Amino acid sequence: MEVKFLDLKRINDSFEPMLTDAVKNVINSGWYIGGTAVRNFEDEFAKYVSTKYCVTVGNGLDALKLVLTAWKETYKWSGEDEVILPANTFVATALAVSQAGLTPVFCEASSTDALIDVFDLEKRITSRTKAIIPVHLYGQTCNMDAIISIAHQYNLKVLEDACQAHGAVYHCASGEIRRAGALGDAAAFSFYPGKNLGALGDGGCITTNDAELAQVIRFMANYGQRTKYVHTHKGLNSRLDEVQAAILSVKLSRLDTDNERRRQIAMQYYCGINNPNIDLFAKPVYDDSHVFHVYVVKCSHRDELLAYLLEKGIETLIHYPIPIHKQKAYAEYSAVSLPETEILQSQILSIPISPVMDDSEVKYVIECMNGFLNSVMNITSICSLNR
């Protein structure tokens, strides 16, 4: 059996003929940028997340960058002012800070869930710290009660990186239940095709309850113009087009159902994978707090496991093999020591999960994962004989 890591064609085929009809409607409308489809999706997604505003942009990186840039201009932050973020995330989180002209400060990941370590986060706050970016990595919400409490204590902004958490829910200590994207001062989403809510190209958005921030971002994303040819900001061209907006509206209607299927598969993995060479992250306390954008395991023989699964026809990926502070692009941070993050990124492996996987594929992945024990024993024996 062959099991793809993520079969995008199969996913998109499951939305037909609605996707084709939506694209045809846009083509026939004669309006392709900033029209009805974009406005409709923004209203729908804001309502879904439960925020007052949703501003669509070109991609998730721009979403993060535009929020930070708007705050920098509004509050007169300098280039020496700092934004704290986890090193265990996709590089776009750090790029947004750098491109906004601010200074990234990297902190540790928690060994239990790979999310931002709130204890290490607080230790890294200085007089220059202005914002925190908690990343809802892999589709699970961060400890937002603790993060928001820290932010209030030090008067910091909170920008959720929700690019992997479409539909994830957070259970607040107060008993309130809120979605990712409605927990901080603002949030950034990506609609890259592989996301739980994915377009057929790049796309992104910002959600917030801050009317002024939403307005400034809307201007900045459209060349910095408030009215046509009147430019009040040094903006950029970062707009979601009508075709992508129409596609996202179709997919949004099934997001909760698809996320529930991801959770069902994840529970099969939790219950079925039983191999002393493979560690699983802890199950989320609340089922709906995790949408399993990816399902990640840990293995000290990670490279051997990857090769073994590939031989069995199972595609895997590593999210992410090199922590940001060890990337060449951020060479100035190479001396930073984040041991937990570095251990994690030498062990983590993402195995297939998607709403269109059937139970036979899931069962096959579990069987192969459990069969890895003998493979490792053979590798160890061969290495011992060769010494």
Side-chain angles (χ1 to χ4, degrees), residues 1-3 306 309-316 352 364-365 368:
M1 182 180 291
E2 292 187 359
V3 183
L306 187 156
L309 292 173
L310 188 60
E311 287 179 0
K312 296 292 185 179
I314 299 170
E315 292 181 352
T316 60
Y364 180 66
V365 172
C368 290

Side-chain angles (χ1 to χ4, degrees), residues 42 45-46 49 51-55 67 159-160 162 180-189 205-210 213-214:
E42 288 180 342
F45 197 67
V49 174
T51 55
K52 293 179 181 178
Y53 308 101
C54 168
V55 182
V67 173
L159 169 56
E160 296 173 75
L183 296 163
D185 296 290
F189 287 88
C205 80
I206 296 102
T207 56
T208 185
N209 289 318
D210 186 331
L213 177 66

Side-chain angles (χ1 to χ4, degrees), residues 272-273 308 314 360 362-372:
I273 297 174
Y308 164 81
I314 299 170
S360 65
V362 178
K363 182 180 178 181
Y364 180 66
V365 172
I366 292 170
E367 289 174 353
C368 290
M369 295 285 282
N370 289 338
F372 181 60

Side-chain angles (χ1 to χ4, degrees), residues 129-271:
T129 307
K130 301 300 182 185
I132 304 167
I133 305 181
V135 181
H136 302 314
L137 197 68
Y138 309 151
Q140 183 172 201
T141 49
C142 296
N143 183 352
M144 294 302 293
D145 281 313
I147 291 168
I148 291 170
S149 176
I150 291 169
H152 287 168
Q153 181 181 348
Y154 294 95
N155 194 29
L156 307 177
K157 291 291 187 181
V158 176
L159 169 56
E160 296 173 75
D161 184 336
C163 291
Q164 298 184 9
H166 312 72
V169 166
Y170 183 73
H171 292 252
C172 304
S174 65
E176 186 180 6
I177 299 173
R178 298 163 68 186
R179 288 197 190 274
L183 296 163
D185 296 290
F189 287 88
S190 166
F191 301 124
Y192 181 77
K195 303 297 185 181
N196 291 33
L197 181 60
L200 298 189
D202 273 322
C205 80
I206 296 102
T207 56
T208 185
N209 289 318
D210 186 331
E212 183 179 355
L213 177 66
Q215 186 179 54
V216 169
I217 289 171
R218 197 175 293 282
F219 297 151
M220 292 177 65
N222 188 30
Y223 298 100
Q225 63 180 9
R226 286 182 176 262
T227 57
K228 198 169 182 67
Y229 304 133
V230 178
H231 304 267
T232 55
H233 298 80
K234 294 176 182 175
L236 64 155
N237 175 13
S238 184
R239 301 175 299 199
L240 188 74
D241 66 62
E242 287 284 287
V243 169
Q244 302 305 337
I247 288 166
L248 289 167
S249 286
V250 170
K251 291 189 171 185
L252 180 59
S253 65
R254 209 180 76 189
L255 178 57
D256 286 342
T257 300
D258 285 353
N259 282 343
E260 182 56 34
R261 176 56 183 161
R262 288 175 179 270
R263 293 188 189 101
Q264 291 171 1
I265 295 169
M267 290 308 110
Q268 290 183 62
Y269 284 156
Y270 277 121
C271 296

Side-chain angles (χ1 to χ4, degrees), residues 239-370:
R239 301 175 299 199
L240 188 74
D241 66 62
E242 287 284 287
V243 169
Q244 302 305 337
I247 288 166
L248 289 167
S249 286
V250 170
K251 291 189 171 185
L252 180 59
S253 65
R254 209 180 76 189
L255 178 57
D256 286 342
T257 300
D258 285 353
N259 282 343
E260 182 56 34
R261 176 56 183 161
R262 288 175 179 270
R263 293 188 189 101
Q264 291 171 1
I265 295 169
M267 290 308 110
Q268 290 183 62
Y269 284 156
Y270 277 121
C271 296
I273 297 174
N274 183 17
N275 187 326
N277 291 283
I278 299 171
D279 293 323
L280 309 182
F281 285 108
K283 287 183 185 178
V285 175
Y286 299 99
D287 290 345
D288 54 2
S289 67
H290 205 321
V291 293
F292 294 98
H293 171 59
V294 290
Y295 189 94
V296 181
V297 301
K298 294 184 288 184
C299 180
S300 57
H301 300 276
R302 192 265 309 283
D303 293 343
E304 290 89 348
L305 176 59
L306 187 156
Y308 164 81
L309 292 173
L310 188 60
E311 287 179 0
K312 296 292 185 179
I314 299 170
E315 292 181 352
T316 60
L317 287 175
I318 302 171
H319 294 91
Y320 299 93
I322 305 173
I324 300 175
H325 67 294
K326 297 299 181 184
Q327 295 280 0
K328 186 176 180 180
Y330 284 93
E332 65 270 31
Y333 294 89
S334 60
V336 172
S337 177
L338 297 171
E340 190 60 50
T341 296
E342 290 156 27
I343 291 170
L344 270 175
Q345 295 190 307
S346 70
Q347 296 181 347
I348 51 180
L349 186 69
S350 301
I351 62 177
I353 190 166
S354 86
V356 296
M357 281 182 71
D358 59 44
D359 286 342
S360 65
E361 292 172 308
V362 178
K363 182 180 178 181
Y364 180 66
V365 172
I366 292 170
E367 289 174 353
C368 290
M369 295 285 282
N370 289 338

Side-chain angles (χ1 to χ4, degrees), residues 26-102:
V26 172
I27 293 171
N28 292 334
S29 75
W31 195 285
Y32 310 118
I33 296 287
T36 303
V38 166
R39 289 194 297 273
N40 287 346
F41 175 72
E42 288 180 342
D43 290 344
E44 291 163 3
F45 197 67
K47 182 178 180 180
Y48 177 81
V49 174
S50 296
T51 55
K52 293 179 181 178
Y53 308 101
C54 168
V55 182
T56 53
V57 295
N59 52 71
L61 169 57
D62 282 356
L64 290 163
K65 179 174 66 177
L66 283 161
V67 173
L68 293 171
T69 302
W71 282 343
K72 185 183 179 186
E73 290 189 10
T74 300
Y75 299 108
K76 309 302 180 186
W77 295 348
S78 77
E80 295 179 353
D81 286 330
E82 299 168 348
V83 178
I84 301 177
L85 65 148
N88 182 38
T89 182
F90 184 54
V91 71
T93 314
L95 290 176
V97 179
S98 301
Q99 291 178 13
L102 297 164

